[in-house]
Amino acid sequence: MQIAGALVVLLLVALAGCQSPAPVTQPSAQPVPEPEAAPPPPAPVTPPPAPVPTPGERALADGVALYEAGDFNGAIKQLRAAKEIWTDNASPAATANKLAAHKYLAFSYCVTKRPAQCRQQFVDALKLDAEFTLTSAEKSHPMWGPEFERAKKQASAPAPAAKRKGSSAATTSNPAKAPATSSSPVKTP
């Protein structure tokens, strides 16, 4: 009987092998999209041209360069004579240039031991822009820090009721119109 059971199992296995498999459905073929052409490489970006400095900016830079080189009298001469700075009222940087020129004139006057002229430059800067200030390091400088504080008090003081007809031109905010003063040959940083 064991042989009969084995034959039955063998027959079942043989019949199972004859059975056809369930039909497999093939997915419908989707059309393959054409590959897109690669986009062209971006055009090289050229940086905008550097802004061309105005004549006033060049004159200011020349005066500042003299100051930084230790030629304080040269800086005074350059900045006072630079009409490009004092007559420019149209460029966006005109006021900033004038304020910077007043500041470097003040510093140069202080270093060459002319405190009244130093203070006057600060007063002129404050008249041009009441918000004009120095950095904290500049305010603490032993030469021009005290002159700046005096200038702030002077600039905020009420103006005299009437000025005399022959008032000094040295109080003008345009150093180019102010009378020249003797230059001290002192060069101390």
Side-chain angles (χ1 to χ4, degrees):
M1 218 95 184
Q2 282 187 352
I3 294 184
L7 279 176
V8 171
V9 171
L10 189 58
L11 183 61
L12 287 173
V13 172
L15 285 176
C18 292
Q19 226 178 7
S20 16
V24 177
T25 57
Q26 294 286 335
S28 61
Q30 299 268 341
V32 177
E34 293 280 328
E36 291 184 28
V45 177
T46 51
V52 177
T54 65
E57 290 169 331
R58 284 193 301 272
L60 175 63
D62 292 344
V64 171
L66 289 167
Y67 171 84
E68 289 176 349
D71 184 0
F72 306 115
N73 288 317
I76 291 168
K77 184 176 179 181
Q78 165 64 30
L79 292 170
R80 285 177 49 97
K83 293 177 185 172
E84 304 88 356
I85 296 171
W86 308 111
T87 59
D88 180 8
N89 294 316
S91 75
T95 300
N97 292 341
K98 289 174 187 172
L99 290 171
H102 281 303
K103 179 172 104 169
Y104 281 97
L105 279 166
F107 290 175
S108 296
Y109 281 130
C110 277
V111 170
T112 57
K113 302 195 184 316
R114 294 180 266 179
Q117 291 159 312
C118 170
R119 184 174 49 254
Q120 186 58 52
Q121 290 304 313
F122 286 136
V123 168
D124 291 345
L126 289 161
K127 286 180 181 176
L128 187 60
D129 180 359
E131 300 298 314
F132 172 76
T133 190
L134 300 176
T135 67
S136 58
E138 292 168 341
K139 286 180 188 176
S140 66
H141 191 278
M143 292 179 138
W144 53 73
E147 293 305 325
F148 179 70
E149 291 304 316
R150 289 183 191 107
K152 284 190 344 185
K153 290 177 185 168
Q154 184 178 338
S156 65
K163 288 189 177 184
R164 291 185 306 215
K165 186 173 183 174
S167 67
S168 172
T171 60
T172 181
S173 66
N174 182 346
K177 293 182 182 178
T181 58
S182 65
S183 296
S184 171
V186 176
K187 283 189 178 183
T188 53

